Amino acid sequence: MRAVVLDSDGRPRIGEAPAPTGETMRVLACGLCGSDVEKIGRGAEGTVLGHEVVARRADGTRVVPIHHRPCGACGRCLAGHESTCEAFAAPTIVPGGFAQEIAAADGVELPDAVDDPTGTYVEPLACVLRGAERLPRGRVLVVGHGFVGRLFAAVLTRRGDEVFATDTIPERTGRTPDGPVDAAVLCAPAAPLEAVRPGGAVLVFSPAAPVDLGRVYRHELTLTGSRSATPRHMEEAAALLPELDVPRPVVLPLERFAEGLDLYRSGRALKVVFTP
Ligand SMILES: [Zn+2]
Ligand SMILES: [Zn+2]
């Protein structure tokens, strides 16, 4: 089958990959995520990236396969840190979403109101919903107003927070804070702790920049991390997605992967989705 496969230098190439054996699902769309881009140039030869997938089951239903599954029973799962569960690392989308087919897997059904490309937002939105549970309500600063930052802004606005947003790309910056905020969520490698009021909270949601721990100490800030999602958040995201105001993706055929990657990396596209 056709797929985007990493070569021996970790570069993505459109080519052929072995189709998964057993029951399969046809991929309808797969979103390009920052975590995919991080693996380019580093991933093992033969890797097929892509985990923000919409696929069609043999019975015709459209599903978003669950990306990683925690055991639900270990101490870390019970403490709410499911993404650190031993079982979580095992791949559930085989071989990967930038391909024509994947092995049949558990998934959440996509509402009819959501088209295939937008359906790829269920996975990142699920990660955002889980992160938002760790953010206190009030005045919240979103640091990094790209695609994930906008999902955060949409979710936080909907729940009644006063949302501010900054970005290193001037055109992406939203409403800048007019005073100290109660909390900040870091969706980019920056940590403007000076924007957070004493006693406030900071959620680390991306590979991070160095943090001024002296300020955490003096201002009694609470630092929390959140990475990835759980099956429960995937269900919630699928139900919420039709009600959210989210950016439109750039949709390209898989053959134009290199062009889509360039659009994303250069910041000219907030989100790129490929259709095989
Ligand atoms: Zn992702
Ligand atoms: Zn577990």
Side-chain angles (χ1 to χ4, degrees):
M1 65 170 175
R2 214 165 59 249
V4 174
V5 184
L6 295 188
D7 69 11
S8 56
D9 293 320
R11 283 177 305 211
R13 302 270 180 227
I14 182 88
E16 292 291 314
T21 51
E23 201 185 325
T24 63
M25 304 196 285
R26 192 159 62 83
V27 176
L28 301 174
C30 183
L32 179 68
C33 172
S35 69
D36 296 319
V37 177
E38 274 172 42
K39 289 174 189 132
I40 287 173
R42 296 179 202 176
E45 183 173 11
T47 299
V48 177
L49 298 173
H51 57 269
E52 299 175 355
V53 180
V54 173
R56 195 181 292 286
R57 281 193 180 128
D59 66 5
T61 51
R62 286 186 312 155
V63 294
V64 177
I66 288 168
H67 177 45
H68 297 305
R69 186 171 272 286
C71 79
C74 73
R76 289 188 222 161
C77 280
L78 295 176
H81 296 291
E82 296 92 337
S83 67
T84 68
C85 168
E86 298 277 351
F88 198 80
T92 50
I93 298 173
V94 179
F98 297 129
Q100 289 179 295
E101 282 178 53
I102 55 172
D106 288 344
V108 300
E109 272 192 46
L110 198 58
D112 290 339
V114 179
D115 62 23
D116 298 341
T118 310
T120 66
Y121 294 3
V122 167
E123 195 274 339
L125 179 59
C127 301
V128 165
L129 290 177
R130 182 164 178 258
E133 288 175 357
R134 294 175 184 186
L135 269 176
R137 290 170 187 240
R139 291 161 52 85
V140 184
L141 172 63
V142 176
V143 179
H145 204 214
F147 177 69
V148 166
R150 281 167 212 242
L151 290 187
F152 257 109
V155 165
L156 299 175
T157 300
R158 192 171 187 279
R159 78 174 192 184
D161 291 324
E162 192 177 355
V163 179
F164 306 91
T166 56
D167 199 287
T168 52
I169 302 175
E171 308 83 71
R172 285 191 177 181
T173 291
R175 186 181 162 210
T176 50
D178 53 7
V181 295
D182 300 306
V185 51
L186 312 182
C187 305
L193 300 191
E194 64 284 358
V196 181
R197 67 159 169 79
V202 177
L203 176 68
V204 185
F205 197 76
S206 79
V211 167
D212 177 4
L213 286 178
R215 193 167 185 104
V216 173
Y217 166 61
R218 287 191 310 278
H219 291 256
E220 298 195 344
L221 303 178
T222 302
L223 270 183
T224 319
S226 179
R227 181 177 161 264
S228 207
T230 69
R232 169 173 73 85
H233 294 97
M234 296 280 288
E235 297 278 359
E236 288 177 16
L240 178 64
L241 188 53
E243 295 170 34
L244 278 191
D245 186 17
V246 290
R248 296 294 309 156
V250 173
V251 184
L252 293 173
L254 210 50
E255 282 72 16
R256 290 167 68 184
F257 189 85
E259 183 185 335
L261 181 61
D262 187 50
L263 281 172
Y264 179 82
R265 276 179 160 159
S266 66
R268 278 175 292 151
L270 276 176
K271 189 68 177 178
V272 181
V273 172
F274 296 98
T275 53

